[in-house]
């Protein structure tokens, strides 16, 4: 969950994006920027290092992002760097995404399975979750062989766990309580 500073910066960026009717595009660009920082942690470290002059940081930002992202998103990066808040960029992106999803009636659903899901199963799950939530669904999937089988679905702050690992753990706990 984003803190108040991140939320305020994200809200300001969102308001500009909304005025320009480009909320989704800003989200995509902010996501790409965060991806670049995730892939190159030293890049973000450089921007948060106090001993490096702001002008140098500004030049680096321009060199890397100018022409690849909208000018206002680049200005946003420069402002957050100047104010010493660029280290919160991932939280700002998350707060922006939450606002975008809220205003566009979108639910983020994360599904974890033991093996990759087929496209048909992904579509069925997405349709089922849209029916359950009454919202448009963005489905994120991942694989975790340790769940053995079944599925773990997270929607907002709720988790539905029908994994075989959880079922086996529940049976083991019941047997332990029965024997003890």
């Amino acid at each position: 969950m984003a803190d108040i500073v991140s939320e305020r910066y994200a809200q300001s960026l969102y308001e500009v994006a909304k005025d320009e009717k480009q909320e989704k595009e800003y989200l995509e660009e902010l996501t790409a920027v965060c991806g670049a920082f995730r892939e190159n942690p030293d890049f973000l470290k450089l921007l948060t290092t106090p001993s490096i002059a702001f002008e140098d940081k500004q030049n680096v930002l321009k060199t890397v992002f100018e022409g690849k992202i909208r000018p206002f998103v680049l200005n946003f990066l420069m402002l957050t760097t100047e104010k010493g808040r660029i280290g919160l960029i991932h939280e700002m992106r998350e707060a922006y995404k939450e606002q975008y999803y809220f205003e566009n009636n979108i639910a983020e659903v994360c599904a974890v399975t033991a093996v990759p899901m087929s496209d048909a199963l992904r579509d069925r799950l997405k349709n089922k979750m849209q029916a359950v939530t009454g919202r448009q669904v963005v489905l994120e999937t991942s694989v975790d062989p340790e769940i053995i089988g079944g599925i773990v679905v997270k929607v907002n702050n709720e988790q539905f766990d029908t994994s075989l690992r959880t079922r086996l753990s529940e049976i083991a706990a019941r047997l332990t309580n029965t024997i003890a």
Side-chain angles (χ1 to χ4, degrees), residues 51-74:
S51 60
I52 297 174
F54 172 67
E55 292 76 24
D56 294 334
K57 295 175 185 179
Q58 189 176 30
N59 289 333
V60 169
L61 284 169
K62 284 181 183 178
T63 301
V64 173
F65 293 116
E66 198 165 45
K68 296 176 183 144
I69 59 176
R70 286 169 173 69
F72 199 87
V73 176
L74 178 57

Side-chain angles (χ1 to χ4, degrees), residues 13 22-36 65 67-74 77 93 96:
L13 182 63
Q22 295 185 356
E23 303 94 341
K24 183 177 181 179
E25 292 79 4
Y26 273 47
L27 176 58
E28 290 168 352
E29 290 183 3
L30 206 51
T31 300
V33 166
C34 286
F65 293 116
K68 296 176 183 144
I69 59 176
R70 286 169 173 69
F72 199 87
V73 176
L74 178 57
L77 294 176
R93 183 216 162 262
Y96 184 103

